Amino acid sequence: MSNCLSVILPIWNAGEWVYGLMKELAKQLKDYPETQLIAVDDGSDVPVKKVDGWKVIRQKHAGVASARNTGLKVADGDFISFVDADDDVMPNYLHETYKVMRNNVCDYAVFSWWAGKNQCLIDTRRKLPNFAVWGYCFTRKMIGGEMFDENLNAGEDYEWLGRIIKPESVRVVGYNPIYRYNWTRNPDSLSKRFNRGEITKERN
């Protein structure tokens, strides 16, 4: 089937919870077997275990921007989406993503998502309703050869989004929540370490 989706998952010391995310997406392959699931193990202390349905690539630790770029280089889908290792996807993740992207002529889609247990967040009035790339699905044509800035320790999502989303880009909105952002799950996540002042925005 045409218009296939590549899902890119960067992983670094994510703990056991990442396997719940990987297994949920693998389960959804039953209805969408054309999907390409790519996990990039960014030098985790304990290598990520293989999960059926996933292509796992292990690299020397170089940061989340590098891991996403590795995924982009091997992705062959017409659509590209990203998920984070300490979050969850809903059982409708692939269904809603394909439905929105295949039924509309657009450059990218932004989707509703849950924060924690019960808060659905989306603001369609903003150019970037979400500053993290997991809230979107992009056409490969729109992304072109644009890569994440590997000189940034934090904010690489926002910087990349600012480069690829142009004023003329055509956006659609998926109103059914497909993602759960788990802010409290990982105390050592990149965003928490940045907010605690343990890392700087730019890499040394």
Side-chain angles (χ1 to χ4, degrees), residues 44-59:
S44 298
D45 294 338
V46 177
V48 174
K49 296 178 292 189
K50 184 73 169 67
V51 175
D52 287 346
W54 283 85
K55 178 181 180 67
V56 178
I57 302 169
R58 183 167 170 82
Q59 67 177 32

Side-chain angles (χ1 to χ4, degrees), residues 39-91:
V40 181
D41 181 356
D42 186 41
S44 298
D45 294 338
V46 177
V48 174
K49 296 178 292 189
K50 184 73 169 67
V51 175
D52 287 346
W54 283 85
K55 178 181 180 67
V56 178
I57 302 169
R58 183 167 170 82
Q59 67 177 32
K60 183 179 179 180
H61 181 57
V64 66
S66 172
R68 290 198 181 111
N69 287 341
T70 296
L72 282 172
K73 291 171 186 175
V74 301
D76 55 21
D78 298 308
F79 307 134
I80 305 289
S81 67
F82 300 90
V83 292
D84 280 0
D86 47 4
D87 293 331
D88 294 307
V89 297
M90 301 295 100

Side-chain angles (χ1 to χ4, degrees), residues 50-197:
K50 184 73 169 67
V51 175
D52 287 346
W54 283 85
K55 178 181 180 67
V56 178
I57 302 169
R58 183 167 170 82
Q59 67 177 32
K60 183 179 179 180
H61 181 57
V64 66
S66 172
R68 290 198 181 111
N69 287 341
T70 296
L72 282 172
K73 291 171 186 175
V74 301
D76 55 21
D78 298 308
F79 307 134
I80 305 289
S81 67
F82 300 90
V83 292
D84 280 0
D86 47 4
D87 293 331
D88 294 307
V89 297
M90 301 295 100
N92 64 343
Y93 183 90
L94 291 185
H95 176 76
E96 289 295 325
T97 301
Y98 275 114
K99 181 180 73 173
V100 170
M101 297 304 291
R102 285 174 170 169
N103 292 347
N104 295 277
V105 178
C106 64
D107 295 305
Y108 71 107
V110 58
F111 291 89
S112 299
W113 46 281
W114 299 104
K117 292 186 177 181
N118 56 13
Q119 187 178 9
C120 181
L121 300 176
I122 188 168
D123 186 347
T124 59
R125 295 167 298 178
R126 290 164 51 187
K127 177 186 176 183
L128 299 178
N130 175 22
F131 294 160
V133 291
W134 46 252
Y136 300 83
C137 183
F138 311 91
T139 63
R140 185 73 212 214
K141 181 178 180 181
M142 175 188 182
I143 294 174
E146 293 290 341
M147 294 287 165
F148 290 85
D149 187 345
E150 297 183 17
N151 293 314
L152 296 177
N153 273 323
E156 77 291 333
D157 302 55
Y158 183 69
E159 191 276 335
W160 184 79
L161 287 168
R163 277 189 282 121
I164 70 164
I165 297 178
K166 306 293 195 301
E168 65 272 17
S169 298
V170 178
R171 181 184 75 173
V172 295
V173 177
Y175 290 100
N176 292 325
I178 64 171
Y179 195 92
R180 188 180 301 282
Y181 173 51
N182 292 312
W183 167 255
T184 60
R185 174 174 279 172
N186 184 2
D188 292 318
S189 68
L190 181 63
S191 57
K192 288 191 179 66
R193 289 160 57 215
F194 177 72
N195 289 335
R196 291 198 298 261

